[in-house]
Amino acid sequence: MPLPADLLDAFRSVVGAEYVRTDDASRESYGVDALKRGHPADAVVSPDGAEQVSAIMRLCATHGVPLVPRGGGTGYTGGAVPTRGGVVLSLERMNRILELDEENLVVVVEPHVITGHLQDTVEKVGLFYPPDPASLRTSVIGGNVAECAGGPRAFKYGTTKQFVLGLQAVLPNGDIIETGGKVVKNVVGYDLTHLLVGSEGTLAVITRIILRLVPKPPVQSTLRATFATIAQAVQAVSNVIKARVVPAAVELIDGDCLEAVAAYLNVRSLAPAGTGALLLLEVDGLAEAVTEEAARCERACRDAGATEILRARDDAERQEIWRVRRELSPALKTITPLKFNHDVVVPKGRIPQLFDLVGRIKREYRLRIPCFGHAGDGNIHVNIMVTPGDDDETRRAHEAERVLFEGVLALEGSISGEHGIGFAKAKYLPLELDPQTIALMKRVKAAFDPDGILNPGKIFPN
Amino acid sequence: MPLPADLLDAFRSVVGAEYVRTDDASRESYGVDALKRGHPADAVVSPDGAEQVSAIMRLCATHGVPLVPRGGGTGYTGGAVPTRGGVVLSLERMNRILELDEENLVVVVEPHVITGHLQDTVEKVGLFYPPDPASLRTSVIGGNVAECAGGPRAFKYGTTKQFVLGLQAVLPNGDIIETGGKVVKNVVGYDLTHLLVGSEGTLAVITRIILRLVPKPPVQSTLRATFATIAQAVQAVSNVIKARVVPAAVELIDGDCLEAVAAYLNVRSLAPAGTGALLLLEVDGLAEAVTEEAARCERACRDAGATEILRARDDAERQEIWRVRRELSPALKTITPLKFNHDVVVPKGRIPQLFDLVGRIKREYRLRIPCFGHAGDGNIHVNIMVTPGDDDETRRAHEAERVLFEGVLALEGSISGEHGIGFAKAKYLPLELDPQTIALMKRVKAAFDPDGILNPGKIFPN
């Protein structure tokens, strides 16, 4: 539905004519994200600064036009899709690192700084921003904050949430608020900062972010271990924790994934015959501690029955070990281009039960479901592979995802550890949250956005 | 104001007659906390379990009677004081550790578990709950969560917030909600868990808490260093951070505090003559790393001009070094029994400016203001000493606290890093937060508590 000409003119007078796009190509391309199920925007507006965001927001509120904030568009649950049309507010011009305060271990950034670029910048001065979503070369920090992005290093360092100290944000009524600040401790009023983290762009548009940094660990040690079964690999992780080591990464890759990567790389095999699970462990810190911790990890794997253990002797070998993990995503695409990519999470000790559940689902629904993920925190990516156009398989896949979610919740887990709800999982929200909690969340939403202008149709089932 | 007899009877039928107290002694003693400025409760009710909390809450809501949740009563800002009378809901019966899950590094507790007892319990199995408010032997975990308690170890490990994974809580309408869960990653819906942490009992009554644990660091190394000036001590902390060490404690004690402790312990001096600042540094972790990190800390202090450096060779010496820190609170009481105890926080690098500010305030308002605190995160306890009954000094102290807060905010700090707002600091909230943000927080409060039944008169200025 085209927006009124006077509204478009008003947008142009705020941001400049070249930053208001209504051509079909823009409306389409900004209407889709990594979920690949989109809806065209009515207009794409690119503001520069909180004042412009505020002005656009006020205009949308006055005209009852939905506004959907957009970062890198790398989300897997459709959080940036304008499902009801309206304005996509692309923050692409707000991409500056405003301040790097080495003394206070703080960096202040605009939302559209690419996460990997931020990491490179702070690492040049010996500092470290740990959260490392797989999308870090294309996703932006504002999107990471809006979704509370995770990644392999979350087990040791925590997710995005643990690094956000303060925000500037624009409310649906146009108010510009500042939450938190540059100090690590702050207990003045309610913690709006962490309410906004992970709120998927439904409460406010984030226009500035203050992040905590830590010293960059000087040394890493990386090892891979192969096991006949998932249960043995998880036992190895339990042994690592019993040995009181907290690795920076504990990645688990199942046999189906290994086969896919081997096929993709055109090699016969990446692991000994009969490998059901590969574990990738990385410890970091001072050299003195890393040597000891790596030895403990190796022992933990051996005690759990590892069939082979390789420890990287240099950075080239480290990159080689990580390669399998990095090639997973393109490799799975060669099986079939479409997957229902779920990021369920269970208490770590219950990962074997989760894989048992996936095994049953595979057999019962006749589906290919390669799995990999972050074994340290129980966050497993369950990829239900679907052949485009195969309606029967698609139906079975949808049934399977509900069975998966119900099983995960029975294991005291959660249906999403990293990707959020967006609109793709909104109908499943009541599986995890009781009606009272959902009602409370809707009242919180109304406290921010009484008219439902901001990113409507997300999180809550219709 | 006595509550209606039928309401008291209804309370008795919910929790049992012996757990509804209306005698004067109970009403008075449960009407005061560590702030020492109280107001008597109309009744003290002690429920056991969320269902009972819910029933009492519904009764209060129906009758328009304020309800004030109470943990250990150790808060410094009057958060547990029933300033408008009503029911004090003492959670003292809900003091069980429900589940210690070593495999998943999680503990599930009721709110009235004493924090120190929780720590002892998990340390017996080699695990660690880091947050260590000074009150840990008398404060309870529910209060720690409601206030987001800090402590020395917050610099390395984070405050209470970083360890709360999930909550069960009762809303003012009686709804029992569950937020978060046992998994570290969870991005399903809004993060109500961390909105409740630090909400000072104004949004919901917390009835169960799921906490994350970490492996207990096997080794500590503790050192104290003395400096002629605060600026040198802060330079030492900067050097430590430049050396990329994150100590588990970085405590700073000023010359006035040292004198008070020396007088209290009846010794001539605790440090070389002319000491303006004492730094207490502790690093923890694997033995291999701790040795290296302690050496770096020592070098950092030496480079900053330390006059004396002592490193504990055994646990007895470690306790001796910590003794000065531990005796601070009783020692300051011997100067005068009353203090306006502030917990301001500034970006670490600005601590010298904070002490310059305190120096000016001391001279201008003729006050004794010994300071100590957590130098790593810039959280300094500024103790404005007041002689009870000296009205002129009290007036000057109140003027001084406003000047202090304004100065801290000018340094990009916060007026409270640990103690919260309660009613003692409510009038200062608008110094730190703009009207839009306060209005938003009030809308959030209304989303939880539309009738203002729960802990009224706190956080927001009247």
Side-chain angles (χ1 to χ4, degrees), chain A residues 274-417:
Chain A
T275 294
L278 182 149
L279 210 55
L280 192 164
L281 289 161
E282 187 162 281
V283 290
D284 66 7
L286 291 187
E288 298 77 1
V290 162
T291 305
E292 168 63 22
E293 292 189 333
R296 291 188 191 186
C297 286
E298 200 167 324
R299 211 175 308 133
C301 290
R302 207 181 312 118
D303 291 349
T307 51
E308 185 182 272
I309 302 175
L310 299 176
R311 202 198 294 194
R313 282 165 301 185
D314 53 34
D315 198 58
E317 287 193 2
R318 181 178 169 228
Q319 296 307 329
E320 188 57 33
I321 288 181
W322 271 102
R323 190 170 172 210
V324 176
R325 175 72 180 81
R326 294 223 183 82
E327 300 291 357
L328 269 172
S329 203
L332 292 181
K333 283 198 186 109
T334 64
I335 299 181
T336 161
L338 186 63
K339 57 180 177 175
F340 296 174
N341 173 357
H342 293 302
D343 59 320
V344 299
V345 48
V346 294
K348 181 191 60 60
R350 300 200 176 124
I351 294 174
Q353 283 117 293
L354 173 61
F355 275 89
D356 289 347
L357 169 69
V358 171
R360 282 198 306 277
I361 292 173
K362 280 181 189 173
R363 288 189 299 276
E364 196 164 327
Y365 294 90
R366 291 172 291 123
L367 292 163
R368 290 154 299 174
I369 314 180
C371 298
F372 62 93
H374 319 302
D377 40 36
N379 181 206
I380 303 295
H381 293 275
V382 176
N383 304 281
I384 304 177
M385 308 307 292
V386 183
T387 312
D390 185 336
D391 292 344
D392 182 62
E393 192 177 53
T394 304
R395 188 187 48 73
R396 281 182 276 126
H398 278 299
E399 285 175 29
E401 84 185 351
R402 176 173 287 268
V403 174
L404 171 70
F405 290 158
E406 286 170 346
V408 162
L409 293 170
L411 294 170
E412 293 189 275
S414 170
I415 65 172
S416 179

Side-chain angles (χ1 to χ4, degrees), chain B residues 72-320:
Chain B
T74 57
Y76 279 122
T77 54
V81 174
T83 50
R84 299 177 189 179
V87 168
V88 164
L89 192 83
S90 173
L91 297 158
E92 61 202 68
R93 295 167 71 195
M94 296 169 65
N95 61 358
R96 285 157 285 225
I97 296 177
L98 299 172
E99 184 186 352
L100 172 51
D101 181 344
E102 292 185 57
E103 169 82 15
N104 294 305
L105 303 177
V106 159
V107 64
V108 184
V109 298
E110 290 187 321
H112 217 275
V113 174
I114 292 195
T115 305
H117 171 63
L118 170 67
Q119 292 180 331
D120 297 343
T121 303
V122 305
E123 287 181 31
K124 274 185 196 137
V125 297
L127 296 175
F128 194 47
Y129 176 71
D132 57 344
S135 60
L136 64 85
R137 289 287 152 204
T138 47
S139 69
V140 298
I141 191 71
N144 289 183
V145 171
E147 301 288 326
C148 190
R153 291 198 287 243
F155 178 55
K156 176 166 181 176
Y157 292 99
T159 62
T160 302
K161 184 177 295 293
Q162 272 79 36
F163 294 87
V164 181
L165 294 179
L167 296 171
Q168 182 195 62
V170 180
L171 302 185
N173 68 4
D175 281 353
I176 300 173
I177 62 165
E178 313 254 352
T179 74
K182 282 193 182 175
V183 291
V184 176
K185 287 175 173 172
N186 182 328
V187 290
V188 174
Y190 299 135
D191 185 355
L192 300 179
T193 307
H194 291 99
L195 181 59
L196 291 177
V197 177
S199 66
E200 306 194 24
T202 66
L203 298 181
V205 177
I206 293 166
T207 49
R208 196 168 62 217
I209 303 156
I210 306 174
L211 295 168
R212 181 172 75 88
L213 302 171
V214 296
K216 182 170 154 56
V219 175
Q220 283 93 23
S221 180
T222 310
L223 62 88
R224 59 163 258 187
T226 48
F227 301 88
T229 67
I230 294 286
Q232 286 176 314
V234 173
Q235 184 58 50
V237 178
S238 294
N239 293 349
V240 167
I241 289 168
K242 266 198 213 107
R244 301 305 178 220
V245 176
V246 181
V250 191
E251 297 291 291
L252 175 71
I253 301 170
D254 80 356
D256 290 354
C257 284
L258 289 175
E259 275 178 33
V261 176
Y264 177 69
L265 297 176
N266 203 19
V267 297
R268 194 184 303 166
S269 169
L270 289 160
T275 294
L278 184 148
L279 211 55
L280 193 162
L281 290 161
E282 188 162 281
V283 290
D284 66 6
L286 291 187
E288 297 77 2
V290 161
T291 305
E292 169 62 21
E293 292 190 333
R296 290 189 192 186
C297 286
E298 202 169 321
R299 209 174 309 132
C301 290
R302 208 181 313 117
D303 291 349
T307 52
E308 186 181 271
I309 301 175
L310 300 176
R311 202 198 293 195
R313 283 164 301 186
D314 53 33
D315 198 57
E317 289 193 0
R318 181 179 170 227
Q319 296 306 328
E320 188 57 32

Side-chain angles (χ1 to χ4, degrees), chain A residues 103 161 190-191 238 349 443 447, chain B residues 103 161 191 202 238 443 447:
Chain A
E103 169 82 16
K161 183 177 295 294
Y190 300 135
D191 185 354
S238 294
R443 294 198 299 274
Chain B
E103 169 82 15
K161 184 177 295 293
D191 185 355
T202 66
S238 294
R443 294 199 299 274

Side-chain angles (χ1 to χ4, degrees), chain A residues 2 14 36-37 72 74 104 110 141 152 155 165 210 212 231 280 303 319-320 353 375 378:
Chain A
V14 172
K36 307 286 180 211
R37 283 158 52 199
T74 57
N104 294 304
E110 291 187 321
I141 191 70
F155 178 54
L165 294 178
I210 306 175
R212 181 171 75 86
L280 192 164
D303 291 349
Q319 296 307 329
E320 188 57 33
Q353 283 117 293

Side-chain angles (χ1 to χ4, degrees), chain A residues 141-214:
Chain A
I141 191 70
N144 289 183
V145 171
E147 300 289 326
C148 191
R153 291 199 287 243
F155 178 54
K156 175 167 181 175
Y157 292 99
T159 62
T160 302
K161 183 177 295 294
Q162 273 79 37
F163 294 87
V164 182
L165 294 178
L167 296 171
Q168 182 195 61
V170 180
L171 302 185
N173 68 4
D175 281 354
I176 300 173
I177 62 165
E178 312 254 353
T179 74
K182 282 193 181 174
V183 292
V184 176
K185 287 175 174 173
N186 182 329
V187 289
V188 174
Y190 300 135
D191 185 354
L192 300 179
T193 307
H194 291 98
L195 180 59
L196 290 177
V197 177
S199 66
E200 306 193 25
T202 65
L203 298 181
V205 177
I206 294 166
T207 49
R208 197 169 60 218
I209 303 157
I210 306 175
L211 295 168
R212 181 171 75 86
L213 303 171
V214 296

Side-chain angles (χ1 to χ4, degrees), chain B residues 385-424:
Chain B
M385 309 306 293
V386 182
T387 312
D390 185 336
D391 292 344
D392 182 62
E393 192 179 54
T394 304
R395 188 187 48 73
R396 282 181 277 126
H398 278 300
E399 286 176 27
E401 86 184 352
R402 177 174 285 269
V403 174
L404 171 70
F405 290 159
E406 287 170 346
V408 162
L409 293 170
L411 294 170
E412 293 190 274
S414 170
I415 65 172
S416 180
E418 294 185 328
H419 300 166
I421 301 300
F423 74 91

